[in-house]
């Protein structure tokens, strides 16, 4: 399929890198493509970033049939632009589509569309350390219909946002609130899918955490309220003794691409890495024994987010000395070196764009 390109006649002013926060500014253009049962995915186009006109009865607004991805484009010091593991995000979007009864799309075509859009917007990719161009592919259900069933029509769009750090804390340790009152997802549900409702379901507990001075919620499993699943919108890792532990993917945890990158990098360093069930009690016992050295979250938006404090019931623990630990620091440095093109791309994770 040929992608039609219509350029804006009123380009926006670019922000300064130093003023970038996360997800608040959008570039001049977006990619759009539609689906209907007769034509399949059709009418791919890059056009000026603009509101989506849709009926108030559009199914996505009522039943949440929406999936999305988050990935980043980086500018190297030579001025080139590349993406980090885009094929993995595109594959995961199609896997989300299958689970949410959304028609699959051609992955090679989606990657090409993404690259064409970023090429057009290359001057929007910020270059300072810690900044990038966040890419948000999304698919929404557009049938104007009230009644619970899968939509027949969809819109696939990609928008771009120049970003700085996701958390106000930047790379400094965040405070985590463990909740037993709410769960994010249960096995058999859609916790492993990047679908909008999972994030809506996390808001109430997130607000509770914020009101109490905590940045993010640490989610326990939805069945026994015992095993650690995720932290906020990230996967979670623990360094206990000399072992790096993360909850195994069990159907209610998002299979994070940064999670996978952390595991691969740590394994390449011959670190003992374990994916298994890990209970909140085990974390607190390890802290008691002095073997809990570090805790950190991983995600595309936040990269590596060290955890400084965890509160569970009435117990509050400080991890290590409350500062960024050596494993979190080393992983952050290696990941960002790969992402900005300063380290050799031995795992073939980089996709050149410009
Ligand atoms: C990401 O890490 O890219 C996400 O999609 C999480 C989102 C809450 C920003």
């Amino acid at each position: 399929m040929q992608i039609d390109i219509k350029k804006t006649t009123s380009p926006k002013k670019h922000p300064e890198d130093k003023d970038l926060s996360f997800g608040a500014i959008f570039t001049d253009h977006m990619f759009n493509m539609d689906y209907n049962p007769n034509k399949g995915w059709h009418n791919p186009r890059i056009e000026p970033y603009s509101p989506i006109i849709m009926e108030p009865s559009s199914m996505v607004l009522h039943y949440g049939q929406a999936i999305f991805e988050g990935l980043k484009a980086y500018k190297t010091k030579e001025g080139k632009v590349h993406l980090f593991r885009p094929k993995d995000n595109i594959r995961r979007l199609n896997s989300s589509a299958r689970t949410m009864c959304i028609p699959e799309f051609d992955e090679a075509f989606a990657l090409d569309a993404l690259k064409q859009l970023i090429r057009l917007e290359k001057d929007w990719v910020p270059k300072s350390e810690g900044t990038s161009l966040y890419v948000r592919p999304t698919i929404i259900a557009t049938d104007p219909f009230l009644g619970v069933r899968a939509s027949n029509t969809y819109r696939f769009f990609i928008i771009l946002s120049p970003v700085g750090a996701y958390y106000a804390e930047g790379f400094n340790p965040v405070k985590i609130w463990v909740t037993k009152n709410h769960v994010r997802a249960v096995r058999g549900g859609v916790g492993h899918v990047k679908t909008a409702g999972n994030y809506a379901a996390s808001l109430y507990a997130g607000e509770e955490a914020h009101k109490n001075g905590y940045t993010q919620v640490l989610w326990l499993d939805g069945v026994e309220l015992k095993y650690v699943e995720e932290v906020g919108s990230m996967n979670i890792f623990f360094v206990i003794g000399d072992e790096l532990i993360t909850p195994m993917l069990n159907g209610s945890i998002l299979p994070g691409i940064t999670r996978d990158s952390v595991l691969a990098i740590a394994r390449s360093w011959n670190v003992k890495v374990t994916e298994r069930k890990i209970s909140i009690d085990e974390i607190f016992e390890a802290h008691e024994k002095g073997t809990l050295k570090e805790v950190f979250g991983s995600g595309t938006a936040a990269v590596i987010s060290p955890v400084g404090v965890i509160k569970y019931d009435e117990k509050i623990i400080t991890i290590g000395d409350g500062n960024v630990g050596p494993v979190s620091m080393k992983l952050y440095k290696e990941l960002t070196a790969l992402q900005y093109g300063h380290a050799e791309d031995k795992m073939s994770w980089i996709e050149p764009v410009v």
Side-chain angles (χ1 to χ4, degrees):
M1 274 188 294
Q2 172 80 22
I3 301 178
D4 285 336
I5 301 183
K6 187 174 147 213
K7 289 197 190 166
T8 183
T9 50
S10 45
K12 302 175 203 166
K13 191 170 176 291
H14 291 203
E16 303 237 3
D17 287 9
K18 66 173 177 40
D19 297 330
L20 289 173
S21 59
F22 196 94
I25 295 170
F26 301 95
T27 68
D28 288 319
H29 299 90
M30 67 188 293
F31 170 81
N32 280 306
M33 171 164 80
D34 300 304
Y35 180 90
N36 71 36
N38 293 332
K39 294 188 179 164
W41 286 110
H42 65 283
N43 193 15
R45 57 212 187 267
I46 290 173
E47 50 197 355
Y49 178 95
S50 62
I52 296 177
I53 311 267
M54 57 194 211
E55 301 216 18
S57 55
S58 294
M59 291 186 79
V60 65
L61 301 177
H62 303 272
Y63 311 114
Q65 201 188 4
I67 55 174
F68 67 92
E69 274 302 322
L71 64 156
K72 283 175 172 173
Y74 299 86
K75 193 164 269 174
T76 68
K77 52 177 187 315
E78 296 79 29
K80 296 204 163 94
V81 174
H82 60 220
L83 285 155
F84 186 69
R85 304 192 69 174
K87 290 182 183 136
D88 296 282
N89 289 91
I90 290 172
R91 193 174 311 125
R92 190 172 62 180
L93 188 63
N94 243 348
S95 152
S96 299
R98 284 191 291 278
T99 311
M100 300 303 287
C101 300
I102 293 173
E104 289 179 51
F105 54 87
D106 184 296
E107 293 179 15
F109 177 77
L111 178 63
D112 182 50
L114 190 59
K115 287 166 82 171
Q116 287 199 40
L117 177 64
I118 295 171
R119 252 175 234 134
L120 184 64
E121 303 289 58
K122 63 178 188 319
D123 294 339
W124 280 92
V125 187
K127 52 178 178 301
S128 312
E129 197 188 320
T131 67
S132 55
L133 187 70
Y134 188 75
V135 181
R136 172 53 60 86
T138 305
I139 305 180
I140 54 171
T142 51
D143 272 10
F145 181 74
L146 298 184
V148 180
R149 61 155 171 80
S151 179
N152 290 314
T153 58
Y154 296 88
R155 165 71 62 90
F156 182 146
F157 65 86
I158 305 173
I159 53 175
L160 306 175
S161 175
V163 297
Y166 184 66
Y167 293 120
E169 286 91 340
F171 185 56
N172 296 315
V174 295
K175 291 170 71 185
I176 297 299
W177 172 268
V178 186
T179 180
K180 270 167 103 182
N181 297 330
H182 310 277
V183 296
R184 176 186 166 275
V186 288
R187 286 193 293 287
V190 293
H192 61 302
V193 180
K194 217 159 168 63
T195 186
N198 284 333
Y199 297 81
S202 75
L203 297 177
Y204 193 91
E207 290 287 304
E208 189 176 69
H210 289 155
K211 276 187 210 134
N212 286 282
Y214 287 74
T215 311
Q216 285 283 311
V217 172
L218 190 147
W219 301 102
L220 299 179
D221 75 278
V223 179
E224 294 174 75
L225 286 172
K226 188 170 168 190
Y227 297 99
V228 174
E229 298 237 309
E230 290 189 24
V231 59
S233 43
M234 299 180 290
N235 294 112
I236 188 156
F237 286 84
F238 303 93
V239 181
I240 299 184
D242 59 0
E243 197 178 353
L244 181 65
I245 305 168
T246 193
M248 65 191 205
L249 301 177
N250 61 356
S252 54
I253 294 175
L254 188 84
I257 291 160
T258 311
R259 173 188 183 277
D260 186 72
S261 307
V262 166
L263 291 173
I265 292 170
R267 285 187 176 120
S268 78
W269 290 339
N270 293 321
V271 171
K272 187 170 172 213
V273 175
T274 315
E275 294 173 75
R276 65 167 168 89
K277 282 167 101 167
I278 180 158
S279 70
I280 189 71
D281 291 336
E282 181 180 340
I283 307 298
F284 277 73
E285 278 158 27
H287 178 262
E288 195 109 302
K289 283 195 241 147
T291 52
L292 177 64
K293 307 228 173 99
E294 291 180 48
V295 181
F296 61 89
S298 71
T300 298
V303 192
I304 298 286
S305 177
V307 173
V309 172
I310 304 181
K311 177 175 180 340
Y312 175 50
D313 286 339
E314 295 317 310
K315 291 173 281 186
I316 299 179
I317 56 173
T318 298
I319 315 300
D321 59 5
N323 293 313
V324 181
V327 177
S328 317
M329 181 60 91
K330 198 171 164 206
L331 281 163
Y332 175 79
K333 285 198 168 149
E334 179 66 14
L335 254 177
T336 49
L338 283 162
Q339 291 168 336
Y340 288 94
H342 304 153
E344 192 192 340
D345 177 27
K346 290 191 192 134
M347 321 254 191
S348 301
W349 284 340
I350 296 299
E351 179 78 31
V353 179
V354 180

